[in-house]
Amino acid sequence: MQLSATLSWLVDAAAESAGANRLLAELGAHLVADGLPLAGGALTLEVPHPLIARRTWLWRADNSEVIEALGFAPQQPFAMFDTAASGDAGRRWLSTLAPGPLHEDTIGPRADGPVLGWIGTRPFASDETDRLREAARFTAAPLAAIAARATLTAALEAYLGRRSAARVLAAPLRRNTGETIRAALLFADLRGFTALSESHPPAEVIAALDAWFDRIAGAIHAFGGEVLKFIGDGLLAIFPVTTTPRSACEAALRAVSAARLGMAHLDAERRKQGLPPLPFGAALHLGDILWGNIGAADRLDFTAIGSAVNLVSRLEGLCKPLHKTVLVSGALAAETEMPLVALGTHELRGIVQPCAVFALPDD
């Protein structure tokens, strides 16, 4: 069976493309090399993501540029060119490249499957339309492989965070694999959450947790940190030292300050609705952690362990007796020029050495 260069590439090599964006660009380039008069193309996929419903990649033939549009409407029916979907922007964008009509194919057996669209520098002849349709059929297998990899990556990032997901994908799937890294650590949890959960309906409790995690995790991510783990109503996050300890420590301080502001606004809204506020405590520390796989032989967890993790969690426990929202260890305080208030040295449960403790000046 004689295959064109495009179809041969789709069979032999397309599945190794780095992503759907590269698949679209390389497929378009192959089709142009095979003589098809393409001005541009678009590829839209549904993606498993907490916020994004679909992703559309847009390719220009004249400069090989690929840009992306996102759809944030998971409740909408999937359609690349639906006015509520990201693909509508794709259709408008393609129409600016050339006056020719669009050619669209659904890839795979599902009517709501991925959509591949092309626009020509002139109207397509019937044999050219047949070749585009044939290319779409051959695209199904490599695109399925690429989509499966993207699904795995998206799922791991949603549950582990981007850095941890990358480590899991790159390392062997077994225990005793990890590395020691230096990081600013942030441990935070709500106060009085047990009483709240016992006195309010489950739906209200879950809504309160989601609102709290939106504020604290959103601030952490905004300043370059990563949530390693949600622990009941609390979380553990890291700001890895990638340049200097000072930059990581000050990023953690800015994140916790932003979270305080976010929670102040949330509490104001909750009071207007007759709901109780959500007080919280947070602690910051700088130290070395072992970042990797632990667990049973056939059930692993990717997490951080070490004396620094123990210290930051114990330090957070001092927030309530010291009547502070945020406490900072001496190790982290020594790496920042931000003003802090010294609270003396305190014993921490289970920690051998007493810890110098600091607070934010406006706390």
Side-chain angles (χ1 to χ4, degrees):
M1 180 180 179
Q2 288 284 48
L3 296 177
S4 68
T6 297
L7 299 186
S8 296
W9 172 78
L10 285 168
V11 171
D12 296 332
E16 301 304 316
S17 298
N21 58 332
R22 296 312 312 156
L23 175 71
L24 174 64
E26 292 170 29
L27 175 56
H30 276 84
L31 290 171
V32 169
D34 275 351
L36 285 165
L38 299 182
L43 174 63
T44 296
L45 297 176
E46 283 185 314
V47 293
H49 191 278
L51 299 175
I52 301 168
R54 59 189 64 80
R55 301 174 71 179
T56 296
W57 292 272
L58 310 165
W59 167 76
R60 291 182 62 118
D62 56 359
N63 60 9
S64 300
E65 180 185 8
V66 178
I67 62 175
E68 183 179 354
L70 301 177
F72 297 93
Q75 75 279 6
Q76 296 289 342
F78 175 72
M80 184 169 83
F81 299 137
D82 189 284
T83 56
S86 62
D88 183 60
R91 185 174 197 177
R92 292 195 302 270
W93 183 84
L94 287 176
S95 68
T96 66
L97 297 182
L102 285 166
H103 174 85
E104 304 161 17
D105 288 298
T106 300
I107 300 175
R110 290 176 48 190
D112 60 349
V115 178
L116 184 61
W118 305 104
I119 194 164
T121 56
R122 57 166 173 76
F124 295 117
S126 59
D127 67 307
E128 292 170 339
T129 300
D130 291 340
R131 290 163 63 189
L132 290 174
R133 189 169 294 114
E134 186 176 42
R137 289 179 58 200
F138 276 76
T139 301
L143 184 59
I146 292 170
R149 293 200 303 267
T151 296
L152 176 60
T153 300
L156 287 175
E157 288 182 356
Y159 284 96
L160 299 178
R162 181 167 295 178
R163 290 188 184 93
S164 297
R167 291 290 303 167
V168 168
L169 289 170
L173 198 63
R174 61 173 184 266
R175 290 181 295 187
N176 303 320
T177 58
E179 62 177 322
T180 298
I181 66 170
R182 192 159 183 80
L185 289 83
L186 187 157
F187 188 91
D189 70 358
L190 291 177
R191 296 179 190 164
F193 183 73
T194 300
L196 178 73
S197 61
E198 290 178 351
S199 59
H200 289 75
E204 289 186 14
V205 173
I206 292 173
L209 275 179
D210 287 344
W212 148 242
F213 286 136
D214 275 344
R215 271 69 180 179
I216 184 72
I220 289 165
H221 294 154
F223 287 94
E226 182 163 304
V227 175
L228 282 186
K229 192 175 293 295
F230 293 106
I231 310 165
D233 61 327
L235 60 77
L236 172 65
I238 61 171
F239 295 78
V241 175
T242 56
T243 54
T244 64
R246 173 173 295 179
S247 62
C249 294
E250 294 189 346
L253 283 164
R254 291 189 178 96
V256 79
S257 297
R260 288 176 63 208
L261 288 174
M263 290 302 293
H265 286 292
L266 175 64
D267 286 343
E269 291 300 315
R270 287 178 62 83
R271 289 188 184 95
K272 291 178 183 177
Q273 300 170 28
L275 297 172
L278 298 174
F280 73 96
L284 302 177
H285 178 53
L286 174 69
D288 294 331
I289 59 173
L290 178 62
W291 189 43
N293 290 330
I294 62 169
D298 60 348
R299 173 61 175 88
L300 302 177
D301 187 21
F302 192 89
T303 188
I305 59 173
S307 60
V309 177
N310 298 335
L311 189 150
V312 75
S313 64
R314 297 292 188 262
L315 181 59
E316 190 279 327
L318 282 182
C319 288
K320 187 174 182 180
L322 294 181
H323 306 289
K324 300 294 181 182
T325 301
V326 179
L327 295 178
V328 179
S329 74
L332 192 144
E335 295 291 344
T336 179
E337 294 182 352
M338 291 185 176
L340 297 171
V341 177
L343 300 180
T345 300
H346 294 261
E347 300 280 346
L348 300 178
R349 182 170 59 87
I351 306 298
V352 175
Q353 296 293 332
C355 179
V357 179
F358 296 77
L360 302 182
D362 60 344
D363 192 358

